[in-house]
Amino acid sequence: MTKVIVGISGGVDSAVSAYLLQQEGYEVEGLFMRNWDATLNNDINGNPTLNSNICPQEQDYNDAKELCSLLNIPLHRVDFIKEYWDYVFTYFLEELKKGRTPNPDLLCNKYIKFDLFKKEALKLGADKIATGHYARIEGNRLLRGNDQNKDQTYFLAQLTPNQLKDVLFPVGHLTKAEVREIAEKVKLNVAKKKDSTGICFIGERHYQEFVQNYLKPNPGDIVNVETKEVIGRHNGLMNYTIGQRKNVGISGFSERHYVCGKDVKANILYVAFKDTNEYLMSDECILEEVNIISATNPSFCTAKFRYRGEDYPVQIEYLENNELKVKYPEGVKAVTPGQFCVLYLGEECIGSGIIKEVKKNNKKLWYLM
């Protein structure tokens, strides 16, 4: 019998994944990962940030134990706290220092869930591993999940073909509503559990408060990108992202405004007031840390510049030093350094890279350093 180790998170997607595999006749075991020390999410007085006597991560573990008891399968537990800090959280902080907007979830999948987790599963005798991601694998191809609203291939786009080998995504062909329906029908304990959102290690805590525990605030000027006039003070470039409209930190302006750029060296946050989004538009970007999953090497495909973003037609050019040039002549709004650009050929996710620099009319945007 084929043995599958399922990443049990304490949520409904991994729960239904385990149930479906069990129904298909696999020998199923669960493995719960602890990737973050939840005490680091306490407030400045050391108190939990949630009104609960138990931290969310321990609640997830308790839910996972109850689920595996219901399914009558073993549950193993492993700690990757140090490795998560070294490979994911350190990257997150370094990107913020550069004034960029990181997405740590892709690196968590690359270094933790489909590397260290997979190795741990092999120690437990696994023939295959499974997770609750909304994605599909056909042959050697990584395909979008059938639920386009929940498709998670964006977060899997830094994985290598070898990492995707012997991986199952049992809910990839289902919609979220269908997953919930299955969970309720068979009375799984997490059937109505709310989905987790946001960056996992921050949890329910206020983002800026959390980050300031690790990076000292460095206030500076907020400048009108058109007039070059100083119009306010920011509390650290790490707290802002391109396209941001709320909580920018300037008062006395009734006109709509948004963050359009950062100058890290001068510690300036640039703000634009035009509704035309002129300062958010670009037509080309350079990707670094490129990872190609597919055996195809297309010159034309589509790209997502952020999770849940729309697909844009692009032309790609393969450069040296593991970089790609991505052109989108029609223009795209708020392409942001540090974010991942994920490439698709129809339903297939063919790879990704980190946005290194952004250009318009063949010139690097001076206000987006």
Side-chain angles (χ1 to χ4, degrees):
M1 185 182 293
T2 302
K3 184 174 182 177
V4 182
I5 301 291
V6 183
I8 301 292
S9 67
V12 67
D13 300 323
S14 62
V16 171
S17 294
Y19 168 76
L20 292 175
L21 290 170
Q22 194 178 49
Q23 294 301 300
E24 290 177 27
Y26 290 101
E27 178 187 353
V28 178
E29 296 185 8
L31 178 58
F32 181 90
M33 290 177 287
R34 184 169 177 257
N35 296 332
W36 185 254
D37 183 351
T39 62
L40 297 177
N41 285 45
N42 291 346
D43 63 22
I44 57 175
N45 297 314
N47 299 314
T49 56
L50 296 181
N51 295 321
S52 172
N53 293 322
I54 184 171
C55 77
Q57 190 173 91
E58 286 305 310
Q59 183 60 59
D60 288 340
Y61 180 57
N62 287 341
D63 289 340
K65 285 196 296 183
E66 184 178 348
L67 168 79
C68 290
S69 178
L70 286 170
L71 296 179
N72 195 28
I73 62 174
L75 177 65
H76 309 275
R77 175 168 172 158
V78 62
D79 280 7
F80 292 132
I81 294 173
K82 181 182 184 302
E83 293 86 350
Y84 190 92
W85 182 283
D86 291 344
Y87 296 128
V88 181
F89 190 64
T90 300
Y91 150 82
F92 173 76
L93 295 180
E94 289 302 315
E95 288 290 280
L96 290 180
K97 288 178 186 177
K98 297 174 185 176
R100 308 210 305 182
T101 302
N103 193 323
D105 291 334
L106 280 88
L107 293 197
C108 179
N109 283 326
K110 180 177 182 177
Y111 293 115
I112 308 297
K113 293 181 181 178
F114 292 86
D115 184 7
L116 296 175
F117 174 91
K118 196 172 185 180
K119 291 174 182 175
E120 189 69 21
L122 290 174
K123 292 179 186 177
L124 295 170
D127 298 301
K128 296 179 183 292
I129 67 165
T131 70
H133 285 91
Y134 286 84
R136 295 174 293 140
I137 295 179
E138 289 185 5
N140 295 320
R141 301 194 304 155
L142 175 63
L143 305 180
R144 303 182 203 244
N146 281 348
D147 188 337
Q148 293 299 302
N149 190 49
K150 295 296 293 184
D151 168 52
Q152 291 175 306
T153 52
Y154 181 94
F155 297 114
L156 303 172
Q158 277 285 299
L159 301 183
T160 66
N162 189 55
Q163 285 178 301
L164 288 165
K165 185 179 179 182
D166 297 323
V167 170
L168 302 173
F169 296 127
V171 300
H173 65 290
L174 300 173
T175 65
K176 184 73 179 193
E178 289 170 331
V179 168
R180 292 277 187 197
E181 185 179 340
I182 292 170
E184 291 187 21
K185 183 177 180 180
V186 299
K187 296 181 170 56
L188 299 183
N189 60 308
V190 291
K192 296 183 179 181
K193 186 175 180 179
K194 183 181 177 182
D195 290 343
S196 59
T197 58
I199 300 174
C200 58
F201 50 76
I202 295 178
E204 301 292 333
R205 185 168 182 178
H206 188 275
Y207 175 83
Q208 292 188 15
E209 290 180 359
F210 177 84
V211 171
Q212 287 175 13
N213 282 334
Y214 303 94
L215 298 178
K216 184 178 179 181
N218 184 22
D221 290 334
I222 300 176
V223 172
N224 184 325
V225 71
E226 295 178 281
T227 66
K228 311 303 184 291
E229 174 189 5
V230 176
I231 56 175
R233 295 281 288 176
H234 66 75
N235 61 352
L237 295 178
M238 61 191 177
N239 296 313
Y240 306 86
T241 190
I242 306 306
Q244 179 177 330
R245 291 185 180 275
K246 296 180 179 180
N247 303 316
V248 177
I250 58 177
S251 57
F253 294 92
S254 58
E255 193 176 358
R256 291 183 69 187
H257 53 275
Y258 53 84
V259 173
C260 68
K262 304 176 183 182
D263 185 334
V264 178
K265 289 183 179 179
N267 196 27
I268 293 173
L269 183 73
Y270 287 104
V271 172
F273 286 84
K274 284 187 176 180
D275 276 337
T276 59
N277 290 318
E278 172 187 352
Y279 291 96
L280 289 183
M281 301 302 292
S282 62
D283 56 26
E284 180 182 316
C285 67
I286 303 296
L287 307 185
E288 60 183 353
E289 305 293 335
V290 172
N291 175 67
I292 299 298
I293 304 170
S294 175
T296 62
N297 292 290
S299 298
F300 296 90
C301 59
T302 61
K304 282 184 182 291
F305 295 96
R306 55 177 38 82
Y307 180 54
R308 293 191 183 279
E310 62 181 286
D311 283 61
Y312 293 94
V314 298
Q315 178 182 351
I316 58 177
E317 179 182 339
Y318 299 84
L319 308 176
E320 297 179 348
N321 302 319
N322 197 30
E323 294 187 344
L324 278 183
K325 179 185 290 186
V326 180
K327 295 183 178 181
Y328 34 98
E330 298 300 317
V332 176
K333 184 170 69 174
V335 176
T336 305
Q339 286 282 289
F340 282 86
C341 171
V342 177
L343 304 172
Y344 293 88
L345 199 58
E347 289 293 291
E348 183 181 5
C349 178
I350 62 175
S352 67
I354 301 174
I355 299 167
K356 177 183 179 182
E357 60 183 52
V358 181
K359 296 182 178 182
K360 186 176 181 179
N361 298 328
N362 208 31
K363 293 182 180 179
K364 186 176 179 180
L365 300 180
W366 64 267
Y367 50 83
L368 192 56
M369 302 299 186

